[in-house]
Structures are given as C-alpha cells and as structure tokens.
Amino acid sequence: MRILLVSSEAVPFAKTGGLADVATGLAKALASDGHEVVLALPCYRRHIPEEGRGEKIGQVEVQMRMKRVRADILETTLPDTSLRVWLVDQSNYFDRASLYVEGGFDYADNSERFLFFSRAVLHAARNLYFLPHIIHANDWQTGAIPAIVKEKLRDTEDFRGVGTVFTIHNMAFHGAFPPWDLELTGLPQKLFNWRQMEFYGQLNLLKTGISFADMVTTVSPTYAREICRPEFGCGLDAVLAECGERLVGILNGVDMDAWNPELDPLIPQKYSSDRLQPGKAACKATLQSELGLNVSPKSLLFGMVTRLTDQKGLDLISARIENLLEADTQFAFLGTGDEGYEKLLRELEQRYPGRISATIGFNEKLAHRIEAGSDAYLMPSRFEPCGLNQQYSLLYGTIPIVHATGGLADSVTEATPENLANGTGNGFAFQRYDADAFLNACWRAVGMYQFRQDDWQRMQQIGMTRDWSWNRSGRDYMAVYEQALTRVKSTT
Ligand code: ADP
Ligand code: GLC
C-alpha cells in the first residue's frame, strides 16, 4: 500500500511531544512491513539543520486569500533508513524559533501556516506523482486534509478512491480560528456548518478532521471510549459518539531503536531485563550525581519528563510532594511549558537541595537518562490520550505511577499480589483524580521498594519483557486503512 503520513512534527526533525515519536515510529513500522511510505512535515528551518534537509524535488504554489504562496518540497530520508521524508520549505511560515508557541503565545498566523502546509502536501503528492492509497493526517494541524480530499480531490483522476484516516492525539487542542479563516482552506462556505467545520461560531480544524475522515483513530482504546463522554470530549463528545465504528482506539507503540536500554547510546551504562544490574544502578548513581542529588542507592528516585501543562497532574504532585519527602525519596523533574509550573519546580529545587532536581527546558539526552536512572516514574495525568513515557519507563525497569485514564489505564496494571503472580502487575495506578489517591499510590511504591524488593524486581521484569513495540499497533493501523478504503468504495 502507498501511504502518505502527514504530521506537524516527527523525530528527529522536530518535536514538542509524543506526536513526533509516533509519526516516526508508525512510518518505520509500516515501511518495514513493505509498504511505500512518505512522511511529510514542515521544514522548520531553525530545528532542521541545512545538511539534514535533503534536496529539492519540486515546488508547489497555493492560493492563500489574495496571495499565491510558494514552497519548495525537499526530500530527505529518515536517518539510518530509506524512508522518504518530505519537508515543506516556506520560510515566512516555518523559519521561527518554535513550532507553535513563542513567549507563551500561539503564533497569530497558525491557521494560515498549517492550512498552507496541509494544502501544499496535497499539491506535492499530485505534482510529484506520489499518489497514495491512504492519506493519514494527525491532529488539528492537518485536520483540513480529509475535508479537502473528500470535497475536492476525490473527483479527480489522481485521487479517486484515496482513503483518509485522521488520528486524534489530544482532544484539548482544537485548532479553533475565526470564521473568516475558512477562506484559507480553499473549501466552500457551505461546509461551514455545525455538522462539519463550525464549532461555536469558529472554524474548528479538529472537528473538521473528525467529520470528514473515512476512519478516525485515537491513541488508546480507553481514550476512544472516554472522548465520547462530556468529561473528556472537550465539547466534541457528541460528534465523536456519532462516529460509531468509524472511531477506533489504537495504543501507540514504542520505537525500539530509540527507546531500548540495551542499545541506548544516551545512557551511561546499558542493561537488559536479563542483566539489569549493575547497569541500572550505575545509571541511577550517574543521574544523581549529574543532577546534584545525594548519591544514595537506597533512596527511591522518582523521575518525570513532561510538558508542563494542566494535563499532566502537576497539581497533585505539588499538593503532596512534601508528604513524600518524609520518606527516603528523591525527585528528578525535566520539563518546559507553563510559567507557573516552571516556577513551582524551580522553587522546590531550591527548597530541597540534594532531594529535588528540576531542569527547565527540552533535553532529549536527559530524558533518556531520567528514564534509565529513576526507580519510579510519575505520570498522574488528569487525562492522557496515550502517553509514551509510562511505556518507556516500563521498558527501562522504571516503575510507573499513574492515574488510570486513557492510555495509562491501557498500559499500567496495579501490582497487587495476584497481578504479580499472573504476570500483569507492572506499576501503581489510582482511579480517582485526587491528591490523596495519588499519595496512596506513591506510598504503595515506597512500601514495596523498601520492604519487598523481590516483588519490585518481579514487577520490573513484567514491564520489561512485554512487547511494547510497533509490531502490534502497526498491524492495527493497516486494518484501519483497509476499513477506510472499503468505506470509500462503498460510497463512490
Ligand atoms: P505528550 O505528547 O502529551 O507530551 P507523551 O507521553 O505522549 O506526552 O510524549 C511526550 C514525549 O515528549 C516523550 O518522548 C518525552 O520524553 C518527550 N518530552 C516531553 N518533555 C520533554 C522535555 N522537557 N525534554 C525532553 N523530552 C521531553
Ligand atoms: C498527545 C497526547 C499523548 C500521546 C501523544 C502521541 O500529545 O497528550 O498522550 O501519547 O499525543 O499520540
């Protein structure tokens, strides 16, 4: 099958969160199954060095309101693979310090930037004769693609029969813009209605993707059910509930070339489930010393690597971290995001030297070192569509402590005695989003770490030996692509 995978970020080119890992991981899984894949993303000039941009293979021109805007299409390959990557190079839109936000504010022209990107990719597919069977769009940045395909392109010879899949990575980001931005999509006014592109008077690109795609997926089975309810649907629950079988949840896989303690070049000593020690202990000691924490093998070191937003449960952590410091514990935080949370973490670090470390910023190497060097990993997210760090933690023998929601519920199972015996218990999970429920889960971890090391090691083994790779999820996406094609056939 020929698949055009369109994403606003992908490692190693540009990343703000899990979408980047997923776009690349999925593309690689599909390609290694023998499918012909092109991964398309914007050429963020300040993130992608010139030598990594490949060469120009074509040019496109898109009518954006009164102007015709040009972009070069550059083609490179994903490092160490032959997988084709298209970079849409338009410096007015993509030569910026960040991907979406600067100084706490979204770029004012985000709708224009990403609608241009979406349309440019479709032009490129046609101009360069990469005529896909499936176009797979991700999140609001590419939400207009299913609509353009359905309303405009499918009537053309080149795109007849092409199926679209739209994946929701996070319902919290709608891509909502003033109604006059509809013009930037090139689509007719009649589509600006409450069943298709409009939401509370605005153009809503997330809703657009959901409404027009042949199949809609999200990144875990539990989140697929949750978002059909008002508590998680961010206002679009009814639209999602109406999707019925058109909506499918598929748990993200892990790119085992990037996140594998046996191969990881970014950690000080490699280890595996068969030979956890001395590697894991060495990673912990190095991390403690690099971060200025007391180098103490017995202290339970909690790690956390995250975007600092309300989603991630930092309110629970800040409410109970001082209780947890009464035990022999330490904390290593790495994150960037809301100013309030950055300040909170900096203050905690100052107040508890040797016990709490807070690194504010985006640091891939440290992210790997925290995964490897910590004993436990905090992920008490209020909601979590999938979550990758709990899966990375499981693979690194680092015990996740999670709120049982979305993909966290689908990957972490409480380590009760029964679950340890039946080989499923791999972490600690609390059900109600509440500071005391969170604290209790942490105490269960502290108790086991201090007094039941055999159970702790069993739990590490359970997490490390399950298959978290893209093998299964890649196959699930293929099934969804087939369903999308069947739907197109039945409607044309
Ligand atoms: P989300 O996409 O909601 O941010 P995920 O758990 O799916 O959450 O993925 C987050 C990804 O981003 C992980 O690969 C994580 O290691 C990475 N990440 C988040 N914040 C940072 C940071 N400050 N430095 C390095 N990597 C980070
Ligand atoms: C989003 C979600 C996260 C998910 C990631 C990749 O950013 O917040 O839970 O893992 O997308 O799908």
Side-chain angles (χ1 to χ4, degrees):
M1 203 183 271
R2 270 192 308 280
I3 301 150
L4 178 57
L5 188 57
V6 195
S7 170
S8 58
E9 39 187 284
V11 285
F13 302 100
K15 165 165 171 176
T16 67
L19 170 61
D21 299 27
V22 171
T24 299
L26 175 60
K28 280 166 69 175
L30 295 169
S32 74
D33 259 1
H35 301 288
E36 206 183 323
V37 182
V38 167
L39 173 61
L41 71 153
C43 185
Y44 302 103
R45 288 185 167 206
R46 304 206 203 156
H47 298 248
I48 308 173
E50 204 166 343
E51 62 277 11
R53 295 182 201 153
E55 51 192 62
K56 179 172 167 181
I57 55 162
Q59 199 178 49
V60 293
E61 201 175 70
V62 184
Q63 183 77 37
M64 301 295 284
R65 289 209 172 94
M66 302 302 283
K67 30 178 204 202
R68 294 189 71 74
V69 182
R70 283 213 188 114
D72 288 341
I73 306 297
L74 313 179
E75 182 170 305
T76 179
T77 50
L78 205 61
D80 305 323
T81 72
S82 54
L83 202 148
R84 294 164 71 189
V85 178
W86 285 353
L87 301 171
V88 174
D89 188 21
Q90 212 302 327
S91 55
N92 284 338
Y93 293 142
F94 300 119
D95 190 359
R96 312 251 173 122
S98 306
L99 273 56
Y100 320 117
V101 184
E102 201 175 318
F105 294 98
D106 287 357
Y107 290 121
D109 58 351
N110 269 349
S111 59
E112 184 171 336
R113 297 169 72 223
F114 290 101
L115 285 168
F116 174 80
F117 167 62
S118 301
R119 295 174 66 189
V121 170
L122 296 174
H123 279 285
R126 170 181 283 160
N127 295 357
L128 299 164
Y129 296 106
F130 182 78
L131 300 177
H133 298 103
I134 288 290
I135 304 180
H136 183 167
N138 293 274
D139 277 351
W140 71 261
Q141 289 85 347
T142 57
I145 287 181
I148 298 170
V149 170
K150 189 163 182 185
E151 294 295 319
K152 296 186 97 174
L153 300 185
R154 224 176 253 155
D155 291 338
T156 65
E157 193 54 45
D158 288 343
F159 286 93
R160 208 177 303 285
V162 63
T164 57
V165 173
F166 181 64
T167 297
I168 303 164
H169 294 265
N170 198 331
M171 287 302 299
F173 301 102
H174 277 206
F177 300 103
W180 48 85
D181 283 355
L182 177 77
E183 202 185 334
L184 296 168
T185 66
L187 290 166
Q189 187 67 33
K190 67 168 196 235
L191 301 179
F192 192 72
N193 65 69
W194 68 277
R195 294 198 71 88
Q196 295 181 297
M197 299 179 78
E198 182 267 359
F199 186 65
Y200 286 96
Q202 292 196 295
L203 170 67
N204 188 304
L205 294 176
L206 185 68
K207 180 173 174 177
T208 300
I210 298 168
S211 307
F212 286 90
D214 299 306
M215 287 296 289
V216 179
T217 74
T218 188
V219 288
S220 69
T222 296
Y223 194 60
R225 289 189 296 275
E226 286 173 343
I227 56 180
C228 295
R229 302 205 311 262
E231 309 92 278
F232 292 94
C234 301
L236 292 174
D237 37 288
V239 179
L240 289 156
E242 217 176 76
C243 288
E245 293 185 346
R246 201 163 57 88
L247 171 65
V248 175
I250 301 176
L251 196 70
N252 290 329
V254 172
D255 181 350
M256 298 297 294
D257 298 329
W259 292 93
N260 178 351
E262 285 180 57
L263 305 172
D264 194 335
L266 300 176
I267 63 177
Q269 203 167 314
K270 301 184 194 9
Y271 58 89
S272 66
S273 61
D274 298 335
R275 248 179 85 75
L276 197 62
Q277 302 304 355
K280 181 131 180 99
C283 290
K284 176 172 173 177
T286 308
L287 183 68
Q288 286 173 321
S289 118
E290 282 175 352
L291 293 179
L293 295 167
N294 304 327
V295 180
S296 139
K298 275 187 23 232
S299 308
L300 197 171
L301 172 54
F302 293 93
M304 186 171 191
V305 179
T306 187
R307 290 184 293 116
L308 296 172
T309 69
D310 289 338
Q311 173 185 342
K312 300 294 180 178
L314 292 143
D315 50 338
L316 303 189
I317 295 174
S318 80
R320 292 293 179 269
I321 194 165
E322 292 185 321
N323 302 68
L324 285 167
L325 286 167
E326 288 164 18
D328 185 5
T329 55
Q330 298 181 343
F331 295 84
F333 295 103
L334 167 63
T336 172
D338 295 356
E339 215 174 287
Y341 290 128
E342 292 188 351
K343 188 160 161 266
L344 170 89
L345 293 182
R346 281 204 189 95
E347 280 169 8
L348 282 168
E349 178 182 61
Q350 272 176 5
R351 213 173 318 141
Y352 298 99
R355 302 283 307 276
I356 297 183
S357 146
T359 309
I360 305 302
F362 197 93
N363 184 332
E364 189 73 23
K365 181 174 174 195
L366 183 56
H368 284 248
R369 287 162 103 86
I370 289 180
E371 283 295 1
S374 304
D375 299 298
Y377 188 89
L378 295 177
M379 208 150 166
S381 309
R382 190 180 287 273
F383 66 92
E384 194 61 74
C386 176
L388 296 171
N389 282 106
Q390 85 282 12
Q391 300 189 65
Y392 301 156
S393 300
L394 288 162
L395 282 163
Y396 280 72
T398 301
I399 301 305
I401 299 172
V402 306
H403 175 216
T405 183
L408 299 173
D410 292 336
S411 51
V412 178
T413 306
E414 176 76 23
T416 59
E418 306 80 68
N419 290 340
L420 285 173
N422 68 25
T424 58
N426 59 10
F428 298 93
F430 58 98
Q431 302 296 321
R432 207 163 18 88
Y433 188 80
D434 163 293
D436 287 323
F438 162 68
L439 182 62
N440 268 324
C442 294
W443 284 141
R444 294 198 292 281
V446 172
M448 192 189 282
Y449 186 76
Q450 288 182 341
F451 302 114
R452 288 161 46 215
Q453 262 298 318
D454 285 356
D455 282 348
W456 187 271
Q457 284 162 20
R458 168 101 188 104
M459 186 166 54
Q460 288 177 310
Q461 289 298 323
I462 293 174
M464 292 180 86
T465 48
R466 191 174 131 182
D467 181 8
W468 298 102
S469 74
W470 272 101
N471 294 342
R472 187 204 52 241
S473 309
R475 282 195 297 274
D476 291 348
Y477 274 101
M478 277 316 296
V480 166
Y481 295 165
E482 297 287 356
Q483 281 170 279
L485 291 175
T486 310
R487 274 174 192 271
V488 178
K489 251 195 214 132
S490 68
T491 54
T492 47

